[in-house]
Structure formats: C-alpha cells, structure tokens
Amino acid sequence: MKPYYEDEFITLYNNNCLTDPQWPTQADVMVTDPPYGTGQTGYGRAGREIANDLDTKVRDEALHLWQDKPYAMFASGKMPSPSFAWDHQLVWDKAVAGMGGKVRYQHELLYVYKYGQIGNGFSVIRVSKELSLTRLHPHAKPSSLMAMIVGAAPDGVIIDPFAGIGGTLIAAKQLGRKVIGYELNIEYCEVIANRAAQGVLI
C-alpha cells in the first residue's frame, strides 16, 4: 500500500486501518482519538460528520487487534467506562466557558495503558481548545496537549489508526519520533500533509 504522505518521521495512509491486518505489527505504542460512538451528527458550524461514530465497534475492534501493547486513547465522558484494559483515566479539561445555563461537556477522557506520566502527574489536564484546529476538524486536539501526550509515550514507533488532521503525527515529528497514521478522509490527509510540510505545530 502506497503512503499518501511520507517524510523522515511520518508515514500516512489514506485507508481504513481495519482493512490492513498488518497495522498493529508496524508500531510499538498507539496514540489515538477514535470515533467515540456517541452517535452525534452535524458537528460544528459546518455540520461535519465523524465516520463510524454511531457506536464503539470500530474503536473496540482496533483495541482488540492492538492487544496488550501501550496506548493513550481519547474517549467521551458521555459513554460508559470501556471494558478493555487501562491503567489510568485522565481528564482533559478544555477550559471553555459555559453557555447561558445550558449544560455542555467541557471535558474529554484519556485512557492510558502501560504509558509514561503525562504532564504533572495529576488526573486533570487543563489545556484550552484551539479554534484554528477545530475549524478544520470538530475533534481536533490542541497542539500543546498532543505534544504532552506523545512526549510521554514509551520508546518505539507510534501509530495513530484514526489520524484526523494529524495531531499525533505532527507532535511526533516535532519530537523526533517515528509515527504511522491511517485516515479515511482524503481531505484530512491533505491537511496532515500540509501541516507536516510546514514543519511547525499549527
């Protein structure tokens, strides 16, 4: 399978990771933000959809294939705690203001397994959202947050089977780590390629 984009650190495939049985053997640690399974539609101003977000089947299949290796994985606080193995549940506080009495989730969860210490070691990580990134992808994570998570990853090649607009990949490149990504949406692949070519965390 030919990469969509490749440089010294990043290898990106415009493909469904689950159709490539070899993907779990290519890397040592997984850092990913999979479909949460909340079944929501029309995210953000542009009404963008998240592929395979109707349930957690895709996420759970990827974790099953990954087996017993280290990972850091985002999840929704709206969903029950997952049944797969994890050591710690961290909270990403998005540091967003409330909206006129309407209850909104201002946090997401981060499950880690066989992983290094992220940030200062507390269970809550407070990092503001980056509007410039969320305009490109409704679930885009702040660059500083991804650098913190990737920086704590155990040694070896990193993989993100649900790459989105490349938060894991760009952070890994900036930290001099080899990383592999899979992304279904070709428009997001182009965003990743552009970000990677610029060589900066944007």
Side-chain angles (χ1 to χ4, degrees):
M1 180 170 49
K2 183 179 178 180
Y4 181 90
Y5 173 87
E6 192 170 24
D7 63 28
E8 181 182 0
F9 297 102
I10 296 174
T11 302
L12 171 66
Y13 297 103
N14 177 212
N15 197 30
N16 183 341
C17 66
L18 299 182
T19 64
D20 179 4
Q22 300 301 314
W23 77 265
T25 67
Q26 300 178 59
D28 306 288
V29 56
M30 179 170 66
V31 179
T32 193
D33 187 14
Y36 292 167
T38 56
Q40 296 187 27
T41 58
Y43 286 97
R45 296 177 182 174
R48 291 161 294 181
E49 307 297 326
I50 301 294
N52 302 307
D53 194 40
L54 294 179
D55 52 47
T56 61
K57 288 180 181 178
V58 169
R59 179 202 72 181
D60 294 343
E61 184 176 352
L63 284 164
H64 173 73
L65 293 170
W66 187 245
Q67 297 183 353
D68 197 46
K69 295 192 287 185
Y71 71 80
M73 185 200 73
F74 284 97
S76 170
K78 299 177 183 179
M79 305 300 288
S81 297
S83 59
F84 49 83
W86 49 274
D87 295 324
H88 303 289
Q89 180 195 83
L90 307 181
V91 174
W92 168 41
D93 178 354
K94 303 176 185 179
V96 294
M99 293 187 62
K102 181 180 179 182
V103 176
R104 296 188 64 192
Y105 276 67
Q106 71 165 26
H107 72 281
E108 292 178 24
L109 303 180
L110 180 69
Y111 290 95
V112 294
Y113 180 62
K114 295 185 176 181
Y115 214 79
Q117 178 177 302
I118 297 172
N120 56 17
F122 292 105
S123 61
V124 177
I125 305 168
R126 186 176 176 86
V127 178
S128 298
K129 294 175 66 175
E130 288 182 36
L131 292 180
S132 61
L133 294 180
T134 56
R135 289 189 184 103
L136 297 173
H137 190 291
H139 282 181
K141 301 300 184 285
S143 303
S144 58
L145 176 64
M146 294 312 301
M148 190 184 306
I149 295 168
V150 171
D155 292 340
V157 177
I158 297 170
I159 196 164
D160 187 346
F162 307 100
I165 59 167
T168 299
L169 280 62
I170 301 303
K173 179 174 181 176
Q174 291 296 312
L175 294 168
R177 298 286 299 268
K178 295 279 188 180
V179 63
I180 299 166
Y182 285 79
E183 174 51 45
L184 277 173
N185 188 317
I186 194 166
E187 294 180 3
Y188 291 158
C189 286
E190 185 63 17
V191 171
I192 294 171
N194 289 334
R195 295 180 72 194
Q198 291 181 37
V200 293
L201 278 170
I202 62 166

